[in-house]
Amino acid sequence: MMTDYHLYPATGRFMMGRMRQIISTRDRRILEDLVVSTKIARNGQKLYSRGNDIDHFSILVEGFAFSCIDDSKSRCILGLHMPGDLLDVSALPLHRLDYDLVALGSVVIGQIDKARFQHLIRSEPNLTQLIWMFNLCDAAIQRQWTLKLSKLTASRRLAHMIAEIWTRLELIGLARSDGFETPLTQAHLADMCGTTPIHMNRSVRELREVGIADFRRGRIQVEDRAALHEYGGFESSYLFLDKDSETHKELEPIG
Amino acid sequence: MMTDYHLYPATGRFMMGRMRQIISTRDRRILEDLVVSTKIARNGQKLYSRGNDIDHFSILVEGFAFSCIDDSKSRCILGLHMPGDLLDVSALPLHRLDYDLVALGSVVIGQIDKARFQHLIRSEPNLTQLIWMFNLCDAAIQRQWTLKLSKLTASRRLAHMIAEIWTRLELIGLARSDGFETPLTQAHLADMCGTTPIHMNRSVRELREVGIADFRRGRIQVEDRAALHEYGGFESSYLFLDKDSETHKELEPIG
DNA sequence: CGTTGAATTGACACCGTTCAACGACAGTGG
DNA sequence: CCACTGTCGTTGAACGGTGTCAATTCAACG
């Protein structure tokens, strides 16, 4: 389980820390075998443009990506994706997305054949449901972003954002004990928190001065995690963490 | 098809105007028969409290509801639900929701037995996928709300909100040609648009003065719809409307 | 060592919040 | 029929958070 990456190089991080432990070996195999090819991309490269036809579904294998919608003058980042995340399940009904996907740093993408995926939906209810669950988790995160934007000031949004990213990185083993590294710039953070780079800078400074979090060139360091959570109003329950796993026993796979 | 309500009193509006037309008669029947009982509720009544165990899944039959999270001092409305909407599919993995559900006006709820629903997921891939698609549509709406909050001023958010609600009401035949009626108050609109009732009032006045939309005690009247859409930056594509239906042929049911 | 993108700072205007009050309307009961 | 009452809607003024513009510093890299 610790080294699932070796057995399942493309999909080993799918639902890691969430419900992966209840996926049967058979299903892990099937999932891994869906990935027919890989693709690499560099920082800032567009992995997909909104409105275009999707030819493959994708899973993020290495690196990060974000989904965004570019306005005439500004950019809004709607989601942040990490290794193990499915990038475009929401294209299922219309075979296209309503947002762009952009690589954040160097990225490896696993490509899933559309036809085989469609077939899987009919033949593998366990896996189907699991992917659906991933989707619901994504949606829960989206709800939190909405909530955050509605009710928090810029610096508190930032605190919440940092807390969420940190926790999600922990799930897949990419965090340090006192923070994390990230290819995100302050401009990215601004676009994620619905503010301007300039004001984001003030927020970064504020968190630094108050001693809640220190962001410096892609390295975030936190001394008092409880204070961070408190300040940003962060409660991890919406991330479907495994500590809650008693509650989804009914998903226990058949095989 | 016009009078699906009579044949399917509880679920006749499910996916109406979106993908309902491609649901087979058999599947419509199965769906309708999932509803084992109905429940009524009055304005403001809590249909569900966050964190509690879900005993039934629900579909909204008549009236409106919203999902929200109450802060110590304020309320954030995260979603607005209309007849035909499933209210708590996102409780599938954890059997609980991370938000409250509140009735808006008088409401009729159809209750779906959990066990039968779980069984359906294994035995009816068509329906499963359809419900999943509904979910994706919900998520797309959530993304738009996030986007709206990130980038628009209060009065433009309101314009977008009005445009969305109007379009969704049209789908299920509950709109007028020049607007719609709604149990929403300005306070509700404020909670949906991430602002205060006072400022929402100013936004309402502004839309009225500019001649874009006239909100008066639950009645919204619009003369120039194009202007409304323009002002709020509203593009309906994220709602999966049927005019796009050529693109989801592959979902054509087997039966 | 110069170039480039990122981070930082100050000044100022504007959008939105807050507090406090008043006005309009619908439902209720005398 | 009218007074009472509560909810919703409306308004003004002061304050604070945020956007904007312009300019400077900093770190990384060839």
Side-chain angles (χ1 to χ4, degrees), chain B:
Chain B
M1 157 161 166
M2 244 213 74
T3 52
D4 241 18
Y5 314 146
H6 302 119
L7 289 166
Y8 314 100
T11 60
R13 277 166 168 147
F14 176 70
M15 282 300 219
M16 188 83 197
R18 295 199 247 229
M19 295 160 52
R20 186 168 184 84
Q21 56 186 18
I22 61 167
I23 312 180
S24 68
T25 312
R26 173 176 172 277
D27 283 348
R28 292 181 199 210
R29 193 73 261 154
I30 295 176
L31 192 64
E32 178 72 20
D33 291 342
L34 276 183
V35 178
V36 292
S37 63
T38 61
K39 192 172 86 173
I40 63 173
R42 306 211 156 277
N43 188 27
Q45 194 174 328
K46 234 178 219 182
L47 302 172
Y48 171 82
S49 292
R50 63 189 297 217
N52 290 356
D53 246 46
I54 294 261
D55 51 343
H56 290 83
F57 291 109
S58 318
I59 184 168
L60 194 48
V61 178
E62 294 290 343
F64 304 91
F66 56 86
S67 35
C68 70
I69 292 182
D70 285 2
D71 195 80
S72 50
K73 50 187 65 173
S74 69
R75 154 172 293 183
C76 174
I77 295 184
L78 291 165
L80 180 64
H81 310 290
M82 304 185 176
D85 285 358
L86 296 170
L87 294 181
D88 39 23
V89 201
S90 46
L92 256 176
L94 304 180
H95 299 284
R96 59 169 185 267
L97 297 174
D98 52 347
Y99 48 82
D100 297 331
L101 280 171
V102 180
L104 192 62
S106 293
V107 155
V108 179
I109 299 285
Q111 298 191 299
I112 296 175
D113 184 65
K114 249 170 58 169
R116 287 169 72 178
F117 187 70
Q118 296 276 354
H119 178 260
L120 170 131
I121 291 178
R122 312 221 151 268
S123 57
E124 298 290 338
N126 275 327
L127 265 178
T128 301
Q129 189 171 0
L130 203 70
I131 292 168
W132 188 359
M133 297 306 101
F134 169 79
N135 231 302
L136 289 175
C137 182
D138 243 25
I141 292 175
Q142 193 74 56
R143 267 196 302 278
Q144 285 293 318
W145 285 34
T146 304
L147 179 62
K148 186 182 65 186
L149 286 167
S150 279
K151 291 296 166 198
L152 302 182
T153 62
S155 59
R156 288 177 193 275
R157 285 179 213 167
L158 174 59
H160 189 283
M161 191 83 259
I162 291 173
E164 179 187 303
I165 296 175
W166 190 6
T167 304
R168 287 173 63 191
L169 285 173
E170 275 181 336
L171 290 183
I172 51 176
L174 295 180
R176 294 199 321 275
S177 62
D178 64 339
F180 56 92
E181 264 101 46
T182 172
L184 287 166
T185 66
Q186 291 189 7
H188 289 129
L189 291 172
D191 292 338
M192 286 193 285
C193 294
T195 184
T196 58
I198 294 161
H199 196 66
M200 178 48 67
N201 182 304
R202 294 186 189 115
S203 304
V204 166
R205 194 208 316 171
E206 181 165 347
L207 290 199
R208 190 179 297 146
E209 286 173 354
V210 190
I212 283 182
D214 193 6
F215 178 102
R216 288 218 150 88
R217 300 252 163 200
R219 183 186 177 94
I220 289 180
Q221 209 153 355
V222 180
E223 278 149 45
D224 185 353
R225 192 168 192 171
L228 175 74
H229 288 189
E230 156 76 25
Y231 190 81
F234 177 78
E235 286 174 55
S236 62
S237 59
Y238 69 94
L239 290 174
F240 294 24
L241 307 185
D242 262 347
K243 56 180 169 186
D244 293 322
S245 58
E246 328 82 63
T247 61
H248 36 69
K249 279 197 189 110
E250 293 180 39
L251 285 175
E252 203 77 31
I254 304 174

Side-chain angles (χ1 to χ4, degrees), chain A residues 136-155:
Chain A
L136 288 174
C137 182
D138 243 24
I141 292 175
Q142 193 74 57
R143 266 196 302 279
Q144 285 293 317
W145 284 35
T146 304
L147 178 63
K148 187 182 63 185
L149 286 167
S150 280
K151 291 297 166 197
L152 302 182
T153 63
S155 59

Side-chain angles (χ1 to χ4, degrees), chain A residues 44 53 59 69-70 95 118 127 156 171 211 229 234 238 246:
Chain A
D53 246 44
I59 184 169
I69 292 183
D70 284 2
H95 298 284
Q118 296 276 357
L127 264 178
R156 288 177 194 274
L171 290 182
H229 288 189
F234 177 79
Y238 70 94
E246 328 81 64

Side-chain angles (χ1 to χ4, degrees), chain A residues 239-252:
Chain A
L239 291 174
F240 293 24
L241 307 185
D242 262 347
K243 54 180 171 185
D244 293 322
S245 58
E246 328 81 64
T247 61
H248 35 69
K249 280 199 189 107
E250 293 179 40
L251 286 175
E252 202 78 31

Side-chain angles (χ1 to χ4, degrees), chain A residues 1-233:
Chain A
M1 156 160 164
M2 245 214 74
T3 51
D4 241 19
Y5 315 145
H6 302 119
L7 288 167
Y8 314 100
T11 60
R13 276 164 168 149
F14 177 69
M15 282 298 219
M16 189 82 199
R18 296 199 246 230
M19 296 160 53
R20 186 168 185 84
Q21 56 187 19
I22 63 168
I23 312 179
S24 68
T25 312
R26 174 176 171 277
D27 284 348
R28 291 181 199 210
R29 193 72 260 153
I30 294 176
L31 191 65
E32 177 73 19
D33 291 343
L34 277 183
V35 178
V36 293
S37 63
T38 60
K39 190 173 89 174
I40 63 172
R42 304 213 158 276
N43 187 29
Q45 194 175 329
K46 234 177 221 182
L47 302 173
Y48 170 82
S49 291
R50 63 188 297 216
N52 290 356
D53 246 44
I54 294 259
D55 52 343
H56 289 83
F57 291 109
S58 318
I59 184 169
L60 193 47
V61 179
E62 294 290 341
F64 305 90
F66 57 86
S67 36
C68 70
I69 292 183
D70 284 2
D71 193 82
S72 50
K73 50 187 65 174
S74 69
R75 153 171 293 181
C76 175
I77 295 184
L78 291 165
L80 180 64
H81 310 290
M82 303 184 177
D85 285 357
L86 297 170
L87 295 180
D88 39 24
V89 201
S90 45
L92 256 177
L94 304 181
H95 298 284
R96 59 168 185 268
L97 296 175
D98 52 348
Y99 49 82
D100 297 330
L101 280 170
V102 180
L104 192 63
S106 294
V107 155
V108 179
I109 300 286
Q111 298 191 300
I112 296 174
D113 184 66
K114 248 171 57 171
R116 287 170 72 178
F117 186 70
Q118 296 276 357
H119 178 261
L120 170 130
I121 290 179
R122 313 221 151 268
S123 58
E124 298 289 337
N126 276 325
L127 264 178
T128 301
Q129 190 171 1
L130 203 72
I131 292 168
W132 188 359
M133 298 306 100
F134 169 77
N135 231 302
L136 288 174
C137 182
D138 243 24
I141 292 175
Q142 193 74 57
R143 266 196 302 279
Q144 285 293 317
W145 284 35
T146 304
L147 178 63
K148 187 182 63 185
L149 286 167
S150 280
K151 291 297 166 197
L152 302 182
T153 63
S155 59
R156 288 177 194 274
R157 285 180 213 166
L158 174 58
H160 189 283
M161 191 82 259
I162 290 173
E164 178 186 303
I165 296 176
W166 190 7
T167 304
R168 288 173 62 191
L169 285 173
E170 275 180 337
L171 290 182
I172 51 177
L174 296 180
R176 293 198 321 275
S177 63
D178 63 339
F180 56 92
E181 265 100 47
T182 172
L184 288 166
T185 66
Q186 291 189 8
H188 289 129
L189 291 172
D191 293 337
M192 286 194 284
C193 294
T195 184
T196 57
I198 293 161
H199 195 65
M200 178 48 66
N201 182 282
R202 294 183 192 120
S203 303
V204 166
R205 194 208 318 171
E206 181 166 347
L207 291 199
R208 190 179 297 146
E209 284 173 356
V210 189
I212 283 182
D214 193 7
F215 178 103
R216 289 219 149 87
R217 300 255 166 197
R219 183 185 177 94
I220 290 180
Q221 210 152 356
V222 180
E223 277 148 46
D224 185 351
R225 192 167 192 172
L228 176 73
H229 288 189
E230 156 75 27
Y231 190 81

